[in-house]
Amino acid sequence: MAVVAGVDFGTLSVRVSIVDSERGRIGSAVSEYPLIRKREDPDHATQSHAAHMSALAEATREAVAQAGVRGDAVAAIALDTTGSSVLPVGEGLQPLDDYYLWCDHRAKQEAAEITAAAHREKLENIEWCGGVYSSEWGFAKLLHWLRHHPGSRDRLATALEHCDMVAAVLCGITDLAEVPRSICAMGHKWMWNTALGGLPPEEFLIKVDPLLGGIRARLGGRYATSDQVAGRLAPEWAASLGLRPGIPVPVGAFDAHWDAIGAGIREGDVVNVVGTSTCIMAIAREVGLIPGVCGVVQGSIHPSYYGIEAGLSATGDIFDAIARRAGGSVAQLSSGLDAYRAGQTGLLRLTWDNGDRTVLVNAALGGVTLGWNLTHTAQDELFAAIEGTAFHTRIILERMAEHGVPIRRVINGGGVPQKNETLNRIYANVFGMPVLVPESEVTSLGSAIFAFLAAGAFKTIEEAQERLCPKFRTVEPDAREHAVYERLFPLYRKLYFALGQPASAAAAIGDVLPLLRQVAARAR
């Protein structure tokens, strides 16, 4: 028997769970931190490292107290974070700024320049992250920081992903050669590929911008999968967290990747981690390149498989925005949605409110809703937005399947499916296949599983999953509802590619609005 701490840093809060190898989760606590947005710049999204660490200490102590165990009984602590959340640091890993949070899109121009240079120079690394570099990813954000902080450039020692920064700090690591580098983070967001020599070559980075000269050498450290130990908990942080010094801290990873582990992912599964955004995760023994998909990285989710990541740049955030504009909450607006039928609103919503992560990889897009009439309500828009996220997810699943990713089961993980049954029903009906929903929340359970591996409590991920992962309940598709979505999805797919690609060919869209009205009339 062993007890460990699993940590999940989300967009707005950190959750710490104390998990027993026999009894499962025995205590949990959440501590919030602010997200810094700017009305004058909607692409701006940052957070403070100090706020993260303070919240971690508070949540860990509270979780241990709730669990009713002594802090020195915790045998390991593991953490996942949002990604790509990037922090420039100076000597001793002192932050030079706030984190560029995953949803910060200020680096759109830099991402476009990296993409153009990669194709011009025939850089193979770009193909393994879908062929398009995103403004959400590491090199784009670092280049943006270098361009906009000339007074701090000389102080830059390196840049770190959130998961690597927290692991290094907890272990008291300040030597750049010893800093842990998550293959999950560096493979999906920094074009790191062991078969291609690691990071892109120095000469390529200089061709993007001379400011990137020397950056490759500064991104050194110990690159590893999460079955490896980053270090041991330093005495000062052990005291702050209320834990025992010297316990192992495994190499971290991204929250969605470990949520997929916590949801019990196996080859043939796709896990939709639906929260503020959606990450769509799969694993495969063998897989090739997938155009437009964020990344294919060996060892990123499960150390023994290729990890495949795709997703939507906003999901729950869109639902929240609709409710906020209506002066209420998503819970209030969702009351009565269970009576809605497929297509009954007559609205078709392209959910690009925070850009497109996959498959277009275009942060310059904005949300589009077609079919408005004078009687539509915010509740109608919410239902159409849920349908839109389901359609977009289907676009991604089809792209993955076309390129050899086996999809035998779809699992809806993350926080939203636990409290929004309308979403689960719509997804099953749009996909035309059952959707599995974990019977209990899995957030931070993946972290606990890797902590157990570090503590030696389980020999394999699969052994830990068998013991700890919750069972599923099944949401079956309704044949009549699926038939309606089979009429609407071709309209969505046509508009998705016609409106979302700058160089798209002319598309005949005169059938869209009449068909939306026809489908709505029949549904009513």
Side-chain angles (χ1 to χ4, degrees), residues 6 29 59 99 211 224 240 281 291 315 326 346-347 350 427:
Y99 283 97
L211 287 175
S240 182
M281 318 304 302
T315 306
L347 299 174
L350 292 139
Y427 277 44

Side-chain angles (χ1 to χ4, degrees), residues 3 64 68-74 242-243:
V3 175
V64 170
V69 299
R70 292 171 55 92
D72 59 10
V74 175
L243 303 179

Side-chain angles (χ1 to χ4, degrees), residues 317-373:
D317 276 348
I318 295 175
F319 307 157
D320 287 338
I322 293 169
R324 186 171 61 251
R325 290 193 292 267
S329 68
V330 174
Q332 292 167 336
L333 214 55
S334 296
S335 178
L337 283 187
D338 55 331
Y340 275 58
R341 302 271 64 84
Q344 80 166 53
T345 67
L347 299 174
L348 189 64
R349 202 178 193 291
L350 292 139
T351 48
W352 289 328
D353 302 48
N354 198 32
D356 182 287
R357 179 182 299 166
T358 313
V359 297
L360 302 175
V361 197
N362 187 348
L365 299 176
V368 180
T369 306
L370 297 97
W372 289 108
N373 63 39

Side-chain angles (χ1 to χ4, degrees), residues 443-495:
T443 301
S444 70
L445 182 56
S447 299
I449 286 173
F450 281 99
F452 279 123
L453 291 182
F458 294 104
K459 293 181 180 179
T460 66
I461 290 172
E462 289 76 14
E463 181 186 357
Q465 286 175 318
E466 288 292 336
R467 181 72 61 83
L468 298 169
C469 291
K471 295 181 179 179
F472 299 115
R473 59 183 180 83
T474 303
V475 180
E476 295 284 353
D478 179 284
R480 289 175 297 180
E481 299 278 285
H482 177 60
V484 173
Y485 287 131
E486 286 297 277
R487 298 189 68 192
L488 295 177
F489 180 67
L491 301 182
Y492 182 93
R493 182 169 48 203
K494 175 167 62 174
L495 292 168

Side-chain angles (χ1 to χ4, degrees), residues 10 16 46 60 80 95 115 168-169 182 202 220 261 264 339 367 378 407 416 455 459 468 514:
V16 179
T46 61
T60 302
D80 63 49
T115 299
V169 168
S182 165
E202 173 81 359
I261 293 291
I407 301 176
V416 173
K459 293 181 180 179
L468 298 169

